[in-house]
C-alpha cells in the first residue's frame, strides 16, 4: 500500500498517460546537434524499437516497466554522448587504427628483420613511376579529362600581416598577391566557412606555408584549404577536392611476382589501406581513393602521391631477384677503351642493396 | 630490424589504436553475426553476448553508429519490417530495421579476420616467450 495514501494524503492529480521515459530520451536526442535530420527520423524509430524490445525482455524477467525503462536507457547512455558517438562514427573520415594495423606492422617488420627485403633508400628515392614496374605490370588508364590543376603556385612568395580577418578576405588578398583572379570554388565552402577569422604574419613566405597556417587555425572548424591554378585562375578548395580531381586509375598485375606465392592479394590491399593515408580510402570511410581486386589484377584509383606510396608497399611483397634482373634495362652509351669508340649496352637500372627501407615522399599540397 | 625496434613500432601502433581497438573488434563481431543471418540491432547485441558467453557485449552507443557507418559504406544493407505484440490486432505495430551483409561486407570481414589472425599469431609468439620465461622462473 502506498504510505502517502494510507496517511490520508490526496493522490496526486495525473493528466494523461504516465510520462514516457523512452519518448523523453528520444526527444532529448532530437535536440542534439550533429545527426542530420533526414537520418534522425530513421534512427529514432530504430532506437525506439531497441528500447521497447529491451524493456519488454526486462519485464518478462520480472522488472516493473518504469524500472525496465530506466535500465534500458542507462544501457544506451545519455543522449548527448550517443549523438557524439554517432556523429563521430558516421560523419567523420577519421581512420580507425586497428589491431590489424599492428599485426601487419609486425609482419612487415619481421620480414625486414629476417632480411627478406633488400631495398635501399637511394633506390627508393630515385625510382620514378616507370621504374617500379614493367609496362606489363603497371598500366595507367588514359586521362579522361583535360584542364588539370597546377600546384606550382604553392611556391609563390607572399607577405601578409593580419590580426583577425575573415577567411573570404584573406583568400582574396592571397589571390591579389599572386596576381591572379580568384575562383573560390563556392561549392566547396559554405558561407559560414568563409567567415571564420584567421590571424597571419608572414613575410616573403611560400603560399604553401601560409595555407598550412590557415589550416592549422581552422582545424577545429573542420575547414581545410589548398590552392591550385587552373586556366589561369586561382582555385581554393579543400585538399580532398583536389585529390579527387587528380586521381588516376592504375592496374597492377603483380600476382606472378609475389615473393610469397601464397599471400593473398587482399592482404596487400589491406596493408596499403592501413599504411598509406588511411583516411583517404573509401573502404575506410574516406572519399578519395579506391582499391579493388579483379581476378589477379589490383586496381588503385588514387592521386599520384598516394599511388607512389601504394607502389612502395606493393614492392615490399615482390620478388627481389625478379625486380633486379628483369625490369628497367635501358640502352646505354658506353665509351670504349680505344679512344672514342661508342657502343650500345644494356645495363640494369639499379642494383638491390640490402639496407633500410623508407616510404617515398609525401604531399605536394598545403597540409 | 632489431627486436627492440619491432617492439617500439608495435607499442606505438597499440597506443594509437587504444581508443579504437574495441570498435574494430565490434566490426568483426557484427559482420560475423550478419554473415550468418539477417538481424536487427537488438538481436545483434544479444547474439554477440551469447556467442562470447557474456564475456563481452556491444553497447547500443557503439552498435548503432557502427551499423550506420557500415551501411553508408555499402558493407550492409537494411530494410524495414513491422512487429506486432498481437499479430491479430488491427493497429499498426512497431517498425523494425533489419540488416543484411553485402558481398563487399563479406570481403571486408574476410580482410579483418585475416588481419586479426596475423595479429593473434604475432602476439602468440610473445606470449609463448613470456610463458617460457615464467616457467623457468
Amino acid at each position: 500500500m502506498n504510505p502517502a495514501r494510507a496517511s490520508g494524503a490526496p493522490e496526486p492529480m495525473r493528466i494523461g498517460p504516465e510520462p514516457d521515459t523512452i519518448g523523453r530520451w528520444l526527444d532529448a536526442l532530437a535536440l542534439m546537434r550533429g545527426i542530420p535530420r533526414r537520418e534522425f527520423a530513421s534512427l529514432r524509430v530504430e532506437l525506439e524499437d531497441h528500447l521497447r524490445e529491451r524493456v519488454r525482455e526486462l519485464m518478462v524477467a520480472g522488472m516493473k516497466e518504469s524500472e525496465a525503462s530506466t535500465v534500458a536507457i542507462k544501457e544506451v547512455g545519455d543522449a548527448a554522448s550517443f549523438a557524439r558517438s554517432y556523429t563521430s562514427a558516421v560523419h567523420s573520415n577519421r581512420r580507425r587504427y586497428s589491431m590489424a594495423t599492428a599485426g601487419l606492422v609486425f609482419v612487415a617488420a619481421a620480414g625486414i628483420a629476417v632480411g627478406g627485403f633488400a631495398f635501399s633508400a637511394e633506390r627508393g628515392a630515385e625510382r620514378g613511376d616507370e621504374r617500379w614496374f614493367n609496362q606489363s605490370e603497371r598500366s595507367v588508364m588514359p586521362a579522361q579529362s583535360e584542364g588539370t590543376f597546377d600546384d606550382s603556385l604553392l611556391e609563390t612568395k607572399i607577405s601578409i600581416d593580419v590580426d583577425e580577418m575573415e577567411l573570404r578576405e584573406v583568400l582574396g588578398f592571397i589571390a591579389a598577391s599572386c596576381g591572379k583572379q580568384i575562383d573560390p570554388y563556392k561549392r566547396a565552402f559554405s558561407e559560414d566557412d568563409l567567415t571564420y577569422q584567421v590571424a597571419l604574419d608572414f613575410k616573403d613566405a611560400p603560399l604553401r606555408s601560409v595555407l598550412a597556417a590557415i589550416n592549422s587555425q581552422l582545424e577545429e572548424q573542420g575547414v581545410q584549404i589548398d590552392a591550385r591554378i587552373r586556366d589561369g585562375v586561382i582555385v581554393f578548395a579543400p585538399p580532398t577536392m583536389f585529390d579527387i580531381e587528380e586521381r588516376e586509375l592504375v592496374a597492377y598485375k603483380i600476382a606472378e611476382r609475389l615473393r610469397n606465392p601464397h599471400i593473398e592479394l587482399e592482404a596487400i590491399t589491406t596493408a596499403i589501406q592501413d599504411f598509406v593515408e588511411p583516411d583517404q580510402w573509401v573502404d575506410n570511410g574516406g572519399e578519395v581513393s579506391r582499391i579493388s581486386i579483379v581476378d589477379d589484377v589490383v586496381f588503385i584509383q588514387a592521386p599520384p602521391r598516394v599511388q607512389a606510396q601504394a607502389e612502395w608497399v606493393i614492392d615490399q611483397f615482390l620478388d627481389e631477384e625478379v625486380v633486379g634482373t628483369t625490369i628497367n634495362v635501358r640502352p646505354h652509351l658506353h665509351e670504349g677503351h680505344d679512344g672514342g669508340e661508342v657502343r650500345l649496352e644494356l645495363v640494369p637500372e639499379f642494383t638491390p642493396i640490402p639496407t633500410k627501407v623508407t616510404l617515398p615522399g609525401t604531399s605536394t599540397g598545403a597540409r | 630490424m632489431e627486436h627492440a625496434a619491432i617492439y617500439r613500432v608495435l607499442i606505438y601502433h597499440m597506443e594509437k589504436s587504444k581508443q579504437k581497438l574495441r570498435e574494430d573488434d565490434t566490426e568483426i563481431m557484427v559482420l560475423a553475426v550478419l554473415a550468418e543471418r539477417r538481424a536487427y540491432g537488438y538481436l545483434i547485441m544479444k547474439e554477440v553476448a551469447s556467442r562470447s558467453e557474456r564475456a563481452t557485449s556491444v553497447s547500443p552507443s557503439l552498435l548503432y553508429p557502427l551499423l550506420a557507418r557500415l551501411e553508408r559504406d555499402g558493407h550492409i544493407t537494411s530494410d524495414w519490417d513491422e512487429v506486432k505484440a498481437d499479430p491479430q490486432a488491427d493497429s499498426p505495430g512497431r517498425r523494425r530495421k533489419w540488416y543484411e551483409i553485402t558481398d563487399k561486407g563479406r570481403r571486408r570481414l574476410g580482410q579483418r579476420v585475416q588481419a586479426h589472425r596475423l595479429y593473434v599469431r604475432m602476439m602468440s609468439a610473445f606470449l609463448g616467450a613470456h610463458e617460457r620465461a615464467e616457467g623457468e622462473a
Side-chain angles (χ1 to χ4, degrees), chain A residues 83-99:
Chain A
R84 271 199 303 277
S85 168
Y86 186 91
T87 311
S88 156
V90 184
H91 298 285
S92 162
N93 287 333
R94 196 165 292 174
R95 167 69 178 136
R96 289 155 293 282
Y97 286 91
S98 64
M99 292 173 91

Side-chain angles (χ1 to χ4, degrees), chain A residues 3-11:
Chain A
R5 290 184 69 194
S7 66
E11 190 174 10

Side-chain angles (χ1 to χ4, degrees), chain B:
Chain B
M1 187 184 284
E2 297 294 327
H3 276 104
I6 298 172
Y7 245 110
R8 278 199 299 279
V9 171
L10 266 177
I11 289 167
Y12 168 73
H13 280 272
M14 295 293 281
E15 286 295 319
K16 276 184 85 170
S17 63
K18 204 177 277 178
Q19 296 300 318
K20 300 294 179 185
L21 206 59
R22 195 165 153 67
E23 208 174 300
D24 281 334
D25 291 342
T26 307
E27 185 181 308
I28 291 179
M29 291 173 192
V30 168
L31 288 175
V33 168
L34 291 173
E36 290 183 9
R37 58 187 285 202
R38 68 196 283 263
Y40 55 94
Y42 187 60
L43 189 60
I44 294 170
M45 263 182 63
K46 289 207 300 182
E47 194 68 26
V48 168
S50 162
R51 286 195 199 187
S52 67
E53 297 176 338
R54 315 272 158 200
T56 188
S57 61
V58 183
S59 75
S61 64
L62 197 58
L63 177 66
Y64 288 100
L66 173 64
L67 287 170
R69 180 170 60 77
L70 289 172
E71 186 175 13
R72 180 201 66 184
D73 295 342
H75 296 118
I76 58 176
T77 57
S78 69
D79 57 45
W80 292 86
D81 204 351
E82 193 176 281
V83 192
K84 284 187 176 182
D86 175 7
Q88 305 302 322
D90 288 337
S91 58
R94 241 176 25 235
R95 292 178 70 216
R96 175 164 289 166
K97 193 175 186 182
W98 289 80
Y99 293 97
E100 206 163 350
I101 195 167
T102 61
D103 288 344
K104 187 180 177 187
R106 287 184 193 280
R107 286 198 298 276
R108 169 82 161 191
L109 176 62
Q111 288 169 5
R112 289 283 163 229
V113 167
Q114 195 173 11
H116 197 80
R117 286 201 172 122
L118 285 171
Y119 174 78
V120 170
R121 196 194 309 161
M122 176 276 295
M123 283 306 291
S124 299
F126 291 96
L127 296 177
H130 170 70
E131 281 162 3
R132 280 194 299 279
E134 280 210 324
E136 287 166 12

Side-chain angles (χ1 to χ4, degrees), chain A residues 14-304:
Chain A
R14 188 169 287 157
I15 300 170
E18 187 161 345
D20 178 5
T21 323
I22 291 175
R24 280 206 306 268
W25 188 90
L26 291 167
D27 288 344
L29 184 63
L31 297 174
M32 300 300 153
R33 290 184 64 194
I35 304 177
R37 194 178 291 269
R38 65 180 183 285
E39 286 175 37
F40 180 74
S42 158
L43 182 63
R44 180 182 178 120
V45 174
E46 186 175 25
L47 287 173
E48 180 164 11
D49 176 47
H50 173 101
L51 291 164
R52 305 263 179 230
E53 178 82 352
R54 181 66 178 144
V55 167
R56 190 186 64 78
E57 281 207 358
L58 291 170
M59 287 173 69
V60 168
M63 271 190 198
K64 290 178 184 171
E65 184 173 1
S66 59
E67 197 183 349
S69 297
T70 307
V71 170
I73 285 171
K74 198 173 174 187
E75 286 172 351
V76 180
D78 68 273
S81 302
F82 186 93
R84 271 199 303 277
S85 168
Y86 186 91
T87 311
S88 156
V90 184
H91 298 285
S92 162
N93 287 333
R94 196 165 292 174
R95 167 69 178 136
R96 289 155 293 282
Y97 286 91
S98 64
M99 292 173 91
T101 308
L104 286 163
V105 165
F106 175 78
V107 172
I112 295 165
V114 298
F117 303 134
F119 288 82
S120 70
E122 295 80 359
R123 184 181 163 199
E126 80 179 57
R127 284 173 148 191
D129 281 354
E130 70 282 9
R131 294 182 180 179
W132 282 72
F133 296 87
N134 280 328
Q135 284 304 311
S136 61
E137 291 162 343
R138 180 191 193 278
S139 61
V140 183
M141 189 179 184
Q144 294 181 30
S145 61
E146 293 181 359
T148 52
F149 292 110
D150 172 7
D151 66 359
S152 59
L153 142 117
L154 294 170
E155 303 309 324
T156 306
K157 298 278 178 55
I158 65 169
S159 299
I160 182 168
D161 181 5
V162 292
D163 284 338
E164 289 291 330
M165 187 184 264
E166 278 195 1
L167 180 59
R168 180 197 319 274
E169 295 173 61
V170 169
L171 297 182
F173 182 88
I174 289 173
S177 300
C178 296
K180 300 287 182 189
Q181 281 190 313
I182 187 170
D183 173 359
Y185 216 88
K186 285 178 182 164
R187 280 176 299 159
F189 299 111
S190 71
E191 283 299 310
D192 285 349
D193 290 342
L194 294 170
T195 60
Y196 287 126
Q197 303 274 324
V198 292
L200 299 165
D201 184 6
F202 285 95
K203 192 168 185 344
D204 288 333
L207 176 56
R208 183 191 304 278
S209 306
V210 176
L211 291 178
I214 294 173
N215 288 340
S216 160
Q217 292 175 48
L218 298 181
E219 194 168 8
E220 278 189 21
Q221 284 80 17
V223 177
Q224 294 290 283
I225 292 180
D226 207 345
R228 298 282 191 277
I229 291 286
R230 185 175 59 182
D231 300 331
V233 174
I234 188 167
V235 179
F236 292 108
T240 304
M241 199 283 293
F242 291 120
D243 275 347
I244 289 172
E245 295 277 340
E246 292 164 356
R247 283 182 306 195
E248 59 181 9
L249 179 60
V250 181
Y252 298 93
K253 297 168 191 166
I254 53 170
E256 292 182 1
R257 279 188 51 204
L258 293 174
R259 184 161 28 80
N260 172 1
H262 303 297
I263 195 161
E264 298 279 339
L265 287 176
E266 285 200 336
I268 298 175
T269 58
T270 301
I272 290 170
Q273 292 179 103
D274 277 339
F275 294 119
V276 181
E277 302 196 18
D279 291 353
Q280 293 240 354
W281 301 94
V282 170
D283 281 347
N284 292 340
E287 48 192 326
V288 176
S289 303
R290 292 176 183 275
I291 192 163
S292 63
I293 302 165
V294 180
D295 200 5
D296 278 345
V297 183
V298 177
F299 288 93
I300 299 180
Q301 186 181 38

